[in-house]
Structure formats: C-alpha cells, structure tokens
C-alpha cells in the first residue's frame, strides 16, 4: 500500500499532542493536511496501531528522516502581542526556531483594532494587511477591551454610559463576525483599568453569545491577586463565558505562594461547571510598561495628560505618595530593569535597574521611575523580576495551564534589552523544565503547547497529529533543544528545533528558515 504525499516523515518519535505516550511513527502530509499516521512500535517496544491509508501512487516531494527526533503538533502560543510586530517581521524567525506555528494575538486588552484612524480600523483590515505581508506563522486574533474602550471613550477615566457600552458591544460583535477568537482585557492597564466589573461582565456576555474566549490580564497580580481571581471567576459565572486567566503569577515576595490558592479557586469553579483555565510563561520575571506601576488616576487622559502631571510639582508629589507603598512589595527597585525606551537622557541605561538609576541620581527609587518616564514621554518598557520559581513550577504543573510566551519580538537582533521569553519560552519548557528538572513529562508539556491551547480556542483541526488535521508540525531533538537567551543576553534564538511545517509547507528546514511563509490570519 502506498500513500500519495507531499512530505513523508519517517521514523519519528511521535508525541501526538493528546498526552498519550510517545510512539515511533511515519507521518504523511498532502495538500496541507496529515493524511496518514503509520505507527510502528512505541518507545517501550510495544506494537503500535496502524492507521488505514488510501491506495494511490506515491508522489513524495520530500522525505524527512526523523530518526532521533520528536515529532509534535506545531506549538500554539496562547498569549502573544505579535499583532504589533508581525508587519515589520513577518518571517517570525523567533517563533519558528521554537516550533511555534500559531500565535494568539490581541491579549491584555491591546489590539490594533478597532481603531478610529489608521490602516487597520477593524479585524478585516488587520487580517488583510497581515496576510499581504505573508507571515511565516498563523495568527489567531483576539479583540482588546482597551482598544474597544479607546475607540468609544478615548482615554477617559470614567464609567461608560449605556450608549457607549452598547457601541463597544457592537464593535465586539462585528469583530466576532469577522473571525475574532475572543475578547481580552488588561485590567491593570489604562484605559481598561478604568472599567468596573459591570462593564467587563457586559462585554464578556457579548463574547459568550458569539462563542468567544475571554482572556484576562487580571486587575492585580500582587497584594490583591486572590481578589482579582475572584473577579475574573465571577465574571465567568455571570456571563457564561469561557475564561482564560492570562499568565497566572504572584508578584512580590509578600505574595509568593498565593498561586496555590488561585489554582484552588480555578479548580472549584471548574467543579461548579464553569469553563476556566490559565496560562503561564516559564520565567520568574515579567515584562510590561513602566506606567503600569503608577496609580490609575495619574493615567487619566493617556500619556499627554500624564506628562503634564509629571511636570507639575504638586501633582508629581501625589503620584510619588501613591507609588511609595509598593516599593519593596510588588515594586522591587533592584528587579525592575529598563528593557526599551525612545531616545532621551536615559537611553544609555537600557539593561540597568531602577535601583541603579536611583543610586546614580541620588534620588529615591519611586522618584527615579517618574524621572525616567518624564524624560521619555512615558514610553518605557521594563523587565520585572518579582516572582518565585516554586510558583512558576506550581502553575506549570497544573493540568489546566497552557504554555504561552507573552512575547512580541519576532526577530533578532534588534534594539533594547527584551525579555528572553520572546526567543526561548517553548524551548525552555522542553529543555529546562522537562529534560533537566523533570517538572513535567514530555508528553504533558507537549499537550500544554498544542491540544490544550487549541481546545481553548475551539481550533478543532489543529493541536494534534492525526489524519485530517492541518499539518502544522514541529520536529526537534529532545537531547539538545534549549533556550540560550538570558536576561543578560536576550537576543539569541532557541536551538534544537530541526524542522517546522506550517500548513504542510516547510517553513523551517534543517534548523534554518526557508523562503516559504505559509502562515495566515
């Protein structure tokens, strides 16, 4: 019996994404889909099943000898911000070298649409622009609550009126009709942070009516982490929406260990019958905007209004008074490192901590934060070291947690000092957490990167290796896959991923990108 195919992968150790044990198999791909999986023996020597294949003449365009390699579904990054970088780096080399084939964008309430002005006013416009750029990987977009709010209310710190809320619901419904996979909130970021729970519930209800996922960067990940989890769960209870808690973590030494209670709350909600899960990145530092440290009221009106407040001595002192209590708790001056900022007086301090800048300037750390923001138009990115390794382990082990990067940088090298998660997330799980530390079995780690995120998105034809599934596939060397990117030296691609197919086409071959860019929105 012969199987017509475009790509034939032979002798692979197949981990199919379901959590099932590895087995040796040949996999054939034709017209962008898996058409045949013929299992030999599993890795323990037991006979595997043979999947029936159609008769026909073999027409192999390429045969890949996968002896010694693990074959998995392409990894699905459930939490990415690549919608703001993909047009500049559609080759997405940082993703391919990790085995990532699909990026979920529009997280934390931030998406390029809807927008009153600009080239991509709605999801349809965004999708057309991305597809025209020929991305190497797929994008599954969410619509951001912050973008909805900005389109209707601007940057005002107030409750939405009934008409404004209905306009946001209408924009969300339009995005759903145009193919959005979900709604996201960033309740720690302005303008999303200006919304009360009732507004979020109303929009989550609209999302539920369209079968969308609701992904939330919660209102607090530090001192009020548990209250924030309860708000998210109550939103799911009130709306019936599928809930995804983004990058679950506990920030600051006083809060380390709280993820156990957060996970218990998630388990209790699932036991009640609610569809709730979370995701996690395998690092003890986060990365975000420096303005996220500031009190909400200081951000009313957006960056121009903030700059005026920072220039007024009395208002600046009010901001300092609100910022100081967090120092040493969720704001660790030695742990907040400048990642990127526009030209200005502190341009040479990229890679330095707020503690370093404060000491050199002879000011308190809270004042150093305001000095840097004021000098750079409030456009400052940071890496924030404030988490505990045992908390990361606990979330990563939890059955409901998916692996996600929270990244946005798609190509190296570049400017600034970004978080290494942009380049190493998935390889780090496979190398550091599976091979070196045995935090997870390999098959379970793969499930958290494939079928689990696919299920959260209701992507039924991706996330597993089986006949009929889209041929988004990754092959890597389990003995060498690793993440060279570090906090000190982040601009380094993952190694050990040998081949990546996106829609049945080889986007990465023998460890190098090809000229094929077969991804799409």
């Amino acid at each position: 019996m012969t199987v017509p195919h475009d790509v034939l992968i032979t002798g692979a150790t197949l981990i199919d994404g379901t959590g099932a044990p590895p087995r040796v198999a040949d996999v054939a791909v034709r017209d962008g889909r898996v058409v045949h999986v013929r299992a030999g023996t599993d890795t323990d020597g037991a006979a595997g099943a043979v999947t029936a294949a159609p008769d026909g003449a073999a027409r192999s365009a390429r045969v890949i000898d996968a002896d010694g390699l693990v074959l998995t579904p392409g990894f699905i990054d459930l939490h990415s911000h690549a919608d703001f970088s993909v047009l500049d780096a559609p080759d997405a080399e940082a993703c391919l070298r990790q085995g990532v084939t699909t990026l979920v964008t529009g997280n934390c309430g931030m998406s390029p649409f809807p927008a009153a002005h600009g080239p991509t006013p709605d999801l349809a416009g965004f999708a057309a622009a991305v597809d025209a750029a020929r991305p190497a990987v797929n994008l599954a977009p969410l619509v951001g609550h912050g973008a909805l709010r900005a389109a209707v209310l601007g940057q005002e710190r107030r409750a939405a009126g009934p008409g404004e809320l209905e306009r946001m619901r209408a924009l969300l419904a339009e995005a759903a009709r145009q193919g959005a996979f979900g709604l996201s909130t960033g309740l720690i970021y302005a303008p999303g942070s200006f919304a009360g729970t009732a507004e979020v519930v109303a929009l989550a209800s609209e999302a539920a009516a369209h079968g969308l996922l609701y992904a939330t960067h919660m209102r607090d990940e530090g001192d009020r982490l548990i209250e924030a989890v309860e708000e998210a769960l109550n939103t799911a209870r009130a709306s019936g929406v599928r809930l995804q808690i983004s990058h679950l973590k506990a920030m600051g030494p006083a809060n380390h260990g709280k993820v156990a209670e957060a996970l218990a709350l998630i388990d209790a909600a699932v036991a009640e019958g609610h569809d709730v899960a979370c995701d996690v990145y395998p690092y003890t530092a986060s990365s975000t905007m420096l303005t996220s440290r500031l009190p909400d009221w200081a951000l009313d009106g957006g960056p121009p209004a903030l700059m005026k407040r920072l220039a007024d001595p009395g208002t600046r002192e009010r901001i300092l008074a609100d910022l100081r209590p967090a120092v040493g708790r969720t704001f660790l001056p030695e742990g907040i490192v400048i990642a990127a900022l526009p030209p200005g007086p502190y341009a040479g301090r990229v890679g330095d901590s707020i503690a370093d800048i404060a000491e050199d300037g002879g000011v308190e750390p809270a004042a150093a934060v305001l000095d840097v923001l004021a000098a750079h138009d409030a456009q400052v990115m940071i890496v924030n070291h404030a988490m505990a390794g045992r908390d990361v382990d606990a979330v990563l082990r939890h059955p409901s947690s998916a692996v996600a990067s929270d990244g946005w940088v798609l190509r190296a090298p570049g400017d600034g000092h970004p978080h290494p998660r942009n380049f190493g997330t998935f390889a780090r799980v496979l190398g550091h957490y599976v091979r070196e530390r045995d935090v997870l079995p390999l098959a379970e780690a793969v499930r958290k990167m494939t079928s689990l995120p696919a299920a959260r998105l209701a992507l039924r034809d991706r996330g597993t290796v089986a006949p009929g599934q889209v041929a988004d596939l990754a092959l890597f060397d389990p003995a060498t896959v690793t993440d060279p990117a570090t906090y000190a030296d982040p601009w380094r691609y993952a190694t050990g991923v040998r081949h990546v197919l996106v829609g049945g086409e080889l986007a990465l071959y023998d460890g190098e990108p090809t000229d094929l860019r077969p991804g799409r929105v």
Side-chain angles (χ1 to χ4, degrees):
M1 181 178 290
T2 56
V3 183
H5 53 270
D6 303 318
V7 177
L8 177 63
I9 302 167
T10 64
T13 298
L14 175 62
I15 299 179
D16 65 9
T18 65
R23 64 188 191 273
V24 176
D26 299 343
V27 174
V29 173
R30 185 177 71 245
D31 297 333
R33 292 188 179 260
V34 174
V35 294
H36 181 58
V37 178
R38 182 182 180 89
T41 58
D42 66 23
T43 55
D44 294 323
V50 176
T51 302
D55 290 317
R59 58 168 197 176
S60 175
R62 191 183 300 270
V63 176
I64 296 174
D65 180 358
D67 182 38
L69 300 181
V70 169
L71 170 63
T72 70
F75 302 144
I76 299 171
D77 188 346
L78 198 51
H79 190 105
S80 163
H81 296 280
D83 37 0
F84 293 99
S85 55
V86 67
L87 294 178
D88 293 325
D91 53 305
E93 188 170 348
C95 303
L96 292 177
R97 289 184 179 273
Q98 295 180 69
V100 173
T101 56
T102 298
L103 299 169
V104 181
T105 61
N107 281 284
C108 296
M110 307 171 197
S111 60
F113 58 87
H117 307 286
T120 59
D122 59 8
L123 174 52
F126 170 74
V130 173
D131 285 342
R134 295 179 49 242
V137 298
N138 304 306
L139 275 72
L142 312 179
V143 59
H145 166 236
L148 293 171
R149 215 172 202 274
V152 176
L153 283 83
Q155 299 291 326
E156 295 183 37
R157 182 174 175 255
R158 63 175 178 84
E164 292 165 328
L165 185 56
E166 284 308 306
R167 177 60 181 150
M168 283 191 278
R169 292 185 73 143
L171 289 171
L172 175 57
E174 180 182 20
R177 288 190 293 271
Q178 293 178 347
F181 283 83
L183 164 73
S184 78
T185 54
L187 300 179
I188 200 169
Y189 301 121
S193 57
F194 302 156
T197 302
E199 177 178 315
V200 177
V201 169
L203 291 171
S205 297
E206 187 69 33
H210 294 275
L212 302 184
L213 181 69
Y214 169 49
T216 180
H217 181 145
M218 297 181 296
R219 208 173 290 273
D220 196 291
E221 296 176 322
D223 291 345
R224 297 184 61 81
L225 169 64
I226 301 307
E227 292 87 341
V229 172
E230 289 172 337
E231 180 188 19
L233 295 175
N234 286 336
T235 297
R237 292 182 178 107
S239 65
V241 77
R242 304 192 330 269
L243 172 64
Q244 186 72 21
I245 295 179
S246 297
H247 42 56
L248 181 61
K249 66 176 79 72
M251 301 295 285
N255 301 302
H256 292 169
K258 285 185 177 180
V259 297
E261 185 176 352
L263 291 169
L265 288 170
I266 291 172
D267 288 341
V270 171
E272 294 171 9
H274 302 287
D275 190 345
V276 183
C278 64
D279 48 72
V280 60
Y281 45 79
Y283 298 89
T284 55
S286 63
S287 185
T288 187
M289 296 169 285
L290 186 56
T291 50
S292 65
R293 307 300 95 187
L294 302 185
D296 235 15
W297 64 265
L299 304 173
D300 187 4
L306 172 61
M307 293 298 290
K308 290 180 180 178
R309 294 185 181 103
L310 293 174
D312 177 75
T315 310
R316 186 181 190 277
E317 186 55 42
R318 281 185 61 205
I319 298 173
L320 277 175
D322 281 1
L323 185 56
R324 285 184 184 115
V327 175
R329 289 189 61 83
T330 55
F331 168 16
L332 306 179
E334 67 280 5
I336 296 180
V337 176
I338 304 299
L341 72 181
Y346 294 92
R349 303 310 298 263
V350 170
D352 291 346
S353 72
I354 289 296
D356 294 333
I357 294 170
E359 182 177 359
D360 292 346
V363 298
E364 63 176 306
V369 168
L370 302 192
D371 290 344
V372 173
L373 287 171
H376 294 271
D377 295 322
Q379 305 300 311
V380 182
M381 292 295 300
I382 60 171
V383 172
N384 186 12
H385 299 264
M387 296 151 61
R390 66 182 182 274
D391 284 349
V392 176
D393 290 356
V395 181
L396 193 56
R397 286 189 179 107
H398 193 270
S400 79
S401 69
V403 174
S405 74
D406 201 5
W408 61 89
V409 183
L410 301 181
R411 179 196 296 150
D415 298 324
H417 206 84
H419 197 298
R421 67 191 183 192
N422 292 283
F423 309 103
T425 292
F426 293 84
R428 181 170 177 78
V429 170
L430 297 172
H432 182 69
Y433 284 86
V434 172
R435 184 181 64 240
E436 297 173 6
R437 294 190 52 228
D438 199 26
V439 172
L440 289 171
L442 180 56
E444 175 65 359
V446 169
R447 184 186 72 86
K448 288 172 174 288
M449 302 175 181
T450 57
S451 67
L452 176 56
R456 301 307 295 152
L457 296 167
L459 276 172
R460 294 176 179 84
D461 61 355
R462 298 172 201 261
T464 60
V465 180
Q469 294 291 87
V470 172
D472 290 349
L473 304 170
L475 291 107
F476 61 87
D477 182 345
T480 64
V481 63
T482 193
D483 60 318
T486 65
Y487 296 111
D489 185 14
W491 294 101
R492 302 177 68 187
Y493 288 131
T495 59
V497 175
R498 291 283 300 280
H499 312 292
V500 176
L501 285 77
V502 178
E505 299 191 51
L506 277 160
L508 187 85
Y509 181 70
D510 202 19
E512 295 296 330
T514 69
D515 58 358
L516 301 175
R517 299 216 301 263
R520 63 185 180 89
V521 178

